[in-house]
């Protein structure tokens, strides 16, 4: 009985230490970081936002080819909504392939984008309308308070 209550006391101490050192914001951030990828989705549209769109779940790092079930979007993306905290690169080629030094991809941060004027390399605005054949995204770890 003594041993049992001692064990219980140790566990309670460990739990209260954990609670004391972990602010609600930190716990929230940890949950967000752990479960974020599955819930992140990017909207791609063939027309204006809301026209001919698909809401694509993003598996961080993997390449999404606009073939198979997504062939409707191949060389047709005109607008996109990328969630805050996510960065996506859109490629002219399939397989998220970019030729060294070529202006055949654009990298876009979270926001609503019109592919007719997006930031290209060297801060120059480029027209990437109807050019995308593949894209990939990654999540950027945002600073937590
Ligand atoms: C979520 O994304 C991060 C950053 O790209 C990655 O390191 C991590 O392995 C991913 N987690 C899951 C569960 O896919
Ligand atoms: C995107 O830009 C093009 C060219 O400036 C314009 O014609 C089109 O209406 C714009 N689309 C949206 C959704 O703003
Ligand atoms: C996207 O693919 C390119 C080329 O394969 C790779 O260099 C890059 O790291 C990938 N980006 C993400 C966010 O996975």
């Amino acid at each position: 009985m003594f041993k049992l209550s001692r064990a219980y006391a140790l566990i309670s101490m460990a739990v209260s230490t954990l609670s004391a050192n972990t602010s609600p914001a930190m716990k929230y951030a940890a949950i967000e970081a752990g479960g974020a990828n599955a819930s992140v989705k990017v909207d791609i549209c063939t027309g204006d936002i809301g026209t001919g769109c698909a809401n694509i779940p993003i598996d961080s790092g993997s390449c999404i080819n606009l073939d198979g079930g997504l062939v409707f979007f191949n060389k047709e993306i005109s607008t996109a909504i990328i969630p805050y905290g996510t960065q996506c690169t859109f490629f002219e080629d399939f397989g998220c392939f970019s030729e060294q030094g070529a202006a055949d991809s654009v990298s876009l941060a979270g926001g609503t984008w019109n592919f007719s004027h997006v930031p290209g390399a060297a801060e120059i605005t480029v027209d990437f309308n109807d050019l995308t054949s593949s894209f990939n995204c990654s999540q950027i770890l945002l600073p937590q308070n």
Side-chain angles (χ1 to χ4, degrees):
M1 195 61 199
F2 170 76
K3 273 184 183 166
L4 194 66
S5 45
R6 186 171 156 72
Y8 179 74
L10 283 173
I11 291 165
S12 315
M13 249 172 66
V15 168
S16 57
T17 305
L18 186 72
S19 310
N21 292 345
T22 313
S23 72
M26 275 169 70
K27 280 182 205 161
Y28 184 69
I31 291 162
E32 281 286 279
N37 298 7
S39 62
V40 173
K41 290 179 177 179
V42 170
D43 276 314
I44 53 171
C45 307
T46 60
D48 287 349
I49 295 295
T51 306
C53 302
N55 189 232
I56 314 266
I58 297 306
D59 183 7
S60 201
S62 70
C63 183
I64 294 161
N65 279 305
L66 300 178
D67 58 7
L70 294 175
V71 74
F72 175 72
F73 293 93
N74 187 36
K75 305 286 183 202
E76 293 290 349
I77 295 180
S78 293
T79 57
I81 304 174
I82 299 169
Y84 184 57
T86 299
Q87 177 99 21
C88 297
T89 306
F90 295 80
F91 300 85
E92 282 189 42
D93 287 323
F94 286 107
C96 295
F97 172 77
S98 181
E99 209 141 318
Q100 185 104 40
D104 56 1
S105 69
V106 287
S107 195
L108 306 177
T112 299
W113 295 101
N114 181 341
F115 279 49
S116 295
H117 21 81
V118 288
E123 313 281 311
I124 295 165
T125 298
V126 296
D127 182 355
F128 213 74
N129 188 44
D130 294 348
L131 289 178
T132 305
S133 282
S134 62
F135 70 100
N136 62 10
C137 302
S138 63
Q139 281 169 266
I140 301 153
L141 288 179
L142 298 172
Q144 305 284 342
N145 50 13

